[in-house]
Amino acid sequence: MDQVRCLIVDANPLVRNCLQEVLSAHAHMQVQGTVSGLQLAKQRILQDPPDVLVLGTKGSADGMMRFLRGLMRNLPTPVVLLVEVNSTSTALAAEALALGAVDVIEKTVQHPEEQLRTRGRMIADRIFRAAFARVTQFRDSVSAEGATGQGPPERGGHFRYGLIALGASTGGVEALGRVIQAFRCDLPPVVITQHIPEGFSELFASRLDRRVKVDVQVAAHGARAMPGHVYIAPGHAHLEVVRRSGLFWLKLQDAAPVNRHRPSVDVLFASVAEAAGSGAIVGLLTGMGEDGARGLASCRARGAHTFAQDQDSCKVFGMPRVAIEMDAVEEVLSLDQIAQRIWKLTHG
């Protein structure tokens, strides 16, 4: 596409005007229009579908979810959420990401237009890149009762591989949700870095924990990584794995961002290469950029079994593509193959 066409939906006219200025200044973006509410947005989308939708989250949470479900079922469109930093909006955004929204941009409650204008170039670039995300038709999630279970986790069980590590960025909330829902209980510890704003990781973990067979939680510093558990990096810190006395332990650190990210997938994977080596299964899922590719290469060099999500099932085939080009990937899997492949490898 020569120009990315964007529709802006936000109740605040100052925010709408500011975003229009910011996006219009981008050489390859065109603001198709601005509207104040969801009903007007529906009309505009039906008349002239945009390439990307910027959606403020003010208003009814139920109404927002109905709107997004309808959009993703009938006319899948890349959506970037504009979220105030408060618990209600954060919870809503976490649900929206699970439905298939591409990205989240945070705004302050007081004078949001000033903050958006200050960060204008970065915001315009993120919205531009979001327009190229592969958005699939929404389908209802599998419930925990429908997941494939094998009884209680084998605490301290004997697995061919002792640790599983996954990394993801754009589209990862939705992709990881599908993978984890298909996990059986009898797995070694799973550690995950997903690029996600601070505060969203807790909601992501708790939402999954209610729906799946395995135990899902935000990683805590100094905790032992247990079989049958999934640990998600918090949105404000790098997650690492260290090995002591033959066991894996979790370490959090608030060092500088790596590849512009904290948490960084490269940081996690580098620690997995060191701590687990050939005893790890390491996979890189959908996401923009290249974070995780070098770390995955380090894991493969140490003998880990490495894989990447395939292009057809990725929302954004960025990070996996770079890893494949670096020869860091042992096999390429579709999203629906990942959980079963991990189980077979650990029990082979």
Side-chain angles (χ1 to χ4, degrees), residues 242-273:
V242 296
R243 187 166 188 161
R244 294 197 304 270
S245 303
L247 302 174
F248 295 114
W249 303 82
L250 306 179
K251 176 183 176 183
L252 300 181
Q253 53 141 322
D254 60 358
V258 175
N259 301 320
R260 298 182 299 174
H261 295 288
R262 187 177 60 213
S264 162
V265 182
D266 265 338
V267 171
L268 174 62
F269 285 1
S271 73
V272 170

Side-chain angles (χ1 to χ4, degrees), residues 135-180:
V135 183
T136 56
Q137 189 173 31
F138 170 72
R139 65 184 189 185
D140 290 320
S141 298
V142 179
S143 67
E145 290 75 21
T148 304
Q150 296 291 316
E154 296 180 6
R155 310 295 183 189
H158 298 288
F159 302 107
R160 183 179 172 193
Y161 293 89
L163 185 69
I164 300 162
L166 303 174
S169 185
T170 311
V173 170
E174 180 185 9
L176 286 167
R178 285 173 58 182
V179 171
I180 294 169

Side-chain angles (χ1 to χ4, degrees), residues 8-13 15-16 19 35-37 54-57 82 107:
I8 299 167
V9 185
D10 198 278
N12 186 333
V15 169
R16 294 198 303 272
L19 279 174
V35 296
S36 59
V54 178
L55 185 60
T57 56
L82 198 58
K107 64 179 180 181

Side-chain angles (χ1 to χ4, degrees), residues 96-110:
L97 286 167
L99 288 178
V102 175
D103 200 0
V104 175
I105 294 172
E106 294 178 294
K107 64 179 180 181
T108 56
V109 176
Q110 299 294 326

Side-chain angles (χ1 to χ4, degrees), residues 118-316:
T118 300
R119 301 163 59 212
R121 187 170 181 177
M122 179 271 291
I123 288 171
D125 185 56
R126 283 171 63 175
I127 294 170
F128 174 77
R129 290 185 295 165
F132 295 89
R134 183 193 303 268
V135 183
T136 56
Q137 189 173 31
F138 170 72
R139 65 184 189 185
D140 290 320
S141 298
V142 179
S143 67
E145 290 75 21
T148 304
Q150 296 291 316
E154 296 180 6
R155 310 295 183 189
H158 298 288
F159 302 107
R160 183 179 172 193
Y161 293 89
L163 185 69
I164 300 162
L166 303 174
S169 185
T170 311
V173 170
E174 180 185 9
L176 286 167
R178 285 173 58 182
V179 171
I180 294 169
Q181 282 177 334
F183 274 166
R184 306 184 187 196
C185 292
D186 51 339
L187 282 178
V190 181
V191 289
I192 295 174
T193 287
Q194 158 72 45
H195 297 160
I196 199 166
E198 186 172 355
F200 285 72
S201 45
E202 289 81 2
L203 290 161
F204 178 40
S206 63
R207 181 181 183 276
L208 277 174
D209 190 55
R210 294 192 300 269
R211 303 182 180 201
V212 301
K213 293 286 186 181
V214 291
D215 184 293
V216 183
Q217 58 190 263
V218 175
H221 182 72
R224 179 186 164 190
M226 299 288 293
H229 286 64
V230 174
Y231 302 94
I232 296 172
H236 65 280
H238 294 302
L239 171 62
E240 295 180 294
V241 178
V242 296
R243 187 166 188 161
R244 294 197 304 270
S245 303
L247 302 174
F248 295 114
W249 303 82
L250 306 179
K251 176 183 176 183
L252 300 181
Q253 53 141 322
D254 60 358
V258 175
N259 301 320
R260 298 182 299 174
H261 295 288
R262 187 177 60 213
S264 162
V265 182
D266 265 338
V267 171
L268 174 62
F269 285 1
S271 73
V272 170
E274 181 69 25
S278 61
I281 300 170
V282 189
L284 194 56
L285 278 61
T286 176
M288 295 179 188
E290 59 183 30
D291 188 35
R294 289 181 178 82
L296 196 67
S298 297
C299 289
R300 188 174 190 189
R302 293 292 187 96
H305 186 96
T306 62
F307 71 86
Q309 185 180 346
D310 71 354
Q311 183 171 2
D312 287 344
S313 65
C314 274
K315 182 159 286 188
V316 178

